[in-house]
Amino acid sequence: MTPKLTDPFERPISYLRVSVTDRCDFRCVYCMSENMTFLPKKELLTLEELDRMCSAFINLGVGKLRITGGEPLVRRDIMTFFNAMTRHLDSGALEELTLTTNGSQLERFADQLYAAGVRRVNISLDTLDEEKFARVTRWGRLPQVLRGIDAAQQAGLRVKINTVALKGFNEDELFALADWCAARDMDLTFIEVMPMGDLGNEDRVGQYWSLDDLADQLRQRFTLTDLPERTGGPARYVRLEETGQKIGLITPLTHNFCESCNRVRLTCTGELFMCLGQEDNADLRAPLRNHPDDDAPLEAAIRAAIARKPKGHDFDYSRQRADGQVSRHMSHTGG
Ligand code: SAM
Ligand code: SF4
């Protein structure tokens, strides 16, 4: 049997996040600038290469794949890739195939995703107000996303809403969002904004709303109980005792989660980032392309990369400076 992937700190690597495109039909203010330059198509892994890459990780023990981007569902023929991954679900080698999406294309794809074996989706939604939605996503339209969410639920997909907490933007919608998710039986997770990429004139520090502060606001109406469950990532969970609702808080900046980190991230060009907050990466595209009929060099490169996984990251917002800032965009690494 192939030995499983374990990093130098004895953390088993069981979770791969894969960005399948850097492109997107939205231009969220905290994620992209309005006039983004995207990668030339030849730089991207082809769908066949993505299949080989993910299959190599699965062969090395990765049991959970999350497909992201950019917007994964704007990649042409992306269902070919999802359908190819179904064989790993069927064999039992892959436990879970999920995606993170802005929801704009779900009306079209929800049924097909379910048929491919996807059972859960994370849908990003920062506001329930149509005008604010257009402002924060620049190009997005709320009714289209709401139809996508309906389609996902109708298809049988479990939906989790991801909301980026933005100072002065959605603070006033905290309870409205929580109530709306509870009424529709959807999980809700708030994400603290991270210092990623050069976004032109957007003021990142000004957008930062600490989730400790968000939790304090929740406490004004509810009794919060911290839940012990961990996912190996930056999320922690609280339960609102009065309603039983569980809310996730993703706080990479204010709470350290690195000890239990079980994940690595593959970009759409085949670079493997071993830590979301560090620049070090490994080129997996070269061993993949240079050896079209032999996966051994690719698997060796994956093992060598995991052996370099750092102990942790060093984002730091102290003194109102976005220290530890990482120059790449979230849409490149895959959020
Ligand atoms: N386009 C898809 C979407 O929006 O869900 C998938 C890719 S997007 C990069 C993944 C997640 O990263 C989204 O939930 C988005 O809100 C989040 N995100 C993007 N930029 C971020 C930032 N600077 N800080 C925190 N979260 C960010
Ligand atoms: Fe696109 Fe997602 Fe980034 Fe928004 S957060 S611009 S939807 S990739």
Side-chain angles (χ1 to χ4, degrees), residues 224-241:
L224 267 57
T225 305
D226 289 328
L227 298 177
E229 83 185 66
R230 302 289 310 184
T231 56
R236 63 197 165 93
Y237 296 92
V238 293
R239 188 173 51 230
L240 312 183
E241 288 303 337

Side-chain angles (χ1 to χ4, degrees), residues 64 66 96 98 101 119-126 128 149 152-153 156-164 174 176-191 227 229 231 235-240 243-250:
K64 182 170 173 185
R66 177 174 294 280
E96 193 177 37
T98 56
T101 170
R119 292 294 175 264
R120 296 196 302 151
V121 280
N122 286 1
I123 305 177
S124 305
L125 181 77
D126 300 330
L128 291 168
I149 294 172
Q153 290 198 295
L157 297 169
R158 176 97 198 138
V159 173
K160 188 176 86 172
I161 299 294
N162 278 346
T163 301
V164 176
L174 176 59
L177 280 161
D179 290 347
W180 182 72
C181 287
R184 302 186 54 133
D185 191 26
M186 300 187 299
D187 296 323
L188 172 62
T189 287
F190 288 98
I191 309 176
L227 298 177
E229 83 185 66
T231 56
R236 63 197 165 93
Y237 296 92
V238 293
R239 188 173 51 230
L240 312 183
T243 62
Q245 190 176 6
K246 193 175 86 172
I247 292 198
L249 302 169
I250 300 190

Side-chain angles (χ1 to χ4, degrees), residues 135-280:
R135 188 150 39 101
V136 76
T137 62
R138 293 201 187 97
W139 295 5
R141 296 295 168 260
L142 181 63
Q144 186 182 348
V145 170
L146 295 180
R147 287 198 304 275
I149 294 172
D150 286 343
Q153 290 198 295
Q154 272 158 26
L157 297 169
R158 176 97 198 138
V159 173
K160 188 176 86 172
I161 299 294
N162 278 346
T163 301
V164 176
L166 295 165
K167 189 101 197 147
F169 179 78
N170 54 14
E171 274 174 288
D172 58 344
E173 288 188 76
L174 176 59
F175 295 108
L177 280 161
D179 290 347
W180 182 72
C181 287
R184 302 186 54 133
D185 191 26
M186 300 187 299
D187 296 323
L188 172 62
T189 287
F190 288 98
I191 309 176
E192 219 164 49
V193 74
M194 284 186 270
M196 308 291 283
D198 173 12
L199 303 177
N201 53 12
E202 300 296 338
D203 177 8
R204 238 162 288 120
V205 174
Q207 296 173 344
Y208 175 67
W209 175 20
S210 146
L211 293 198
D212 285 342
D213 184 54
L214 184 150
D216 283 343
Q217 293 195 29
L218 284 173
R219 267 185 212 99
Q220 291 174 9
R221 197 180 293 183
F222 300 105
T223 313
L224 267 57
T225 305
D226 289 328
L227 298 177
E229 83 185 66
R230 302 289 310 184
T231 56
R236 63 197 165 93
Y237 296 92
V238 293
R239 188 173 51 230
L240 312 183
E241 288 303 337
E242 287 76 2
T243 62
Q245 190 176 6
K246 193 175 86 172
I247 292 198
L249 302 169
I250 300 190
T251 53
L253 302 172
T254 48
H255 290 271
N256 206 316
F257 57 91
C258 302
E259 298 73 31
S260 58
C261 184
N262 60 357
R263 58 200 60 197
V264 288
R265 292 172 164 81
L266 185 72
T267 70
C268 51
T269 54
E271 301 157 288
L272 189 73
F273 281 85
M274 286 70 84
C275 171
L276 181 61
Q278 304 265 4
E279 297 283 0
D280 185 31

Side-chain angles (χ1 to χ4, degrees), residues 22-32 69-71 101-102 124 136-137 330-331:
D22 61 334
R23 285 160 204 258
C24 187
D25 51 346
F26 291 3
R27 292 288 181 279
C28 301
V29 294
Y30 46 74
C31 179
M32 293 191 183
E71 173 47 43
T101 170
N102 64 25
S124 305
V136 76
T137 62
M330 193 73 116
S331 53

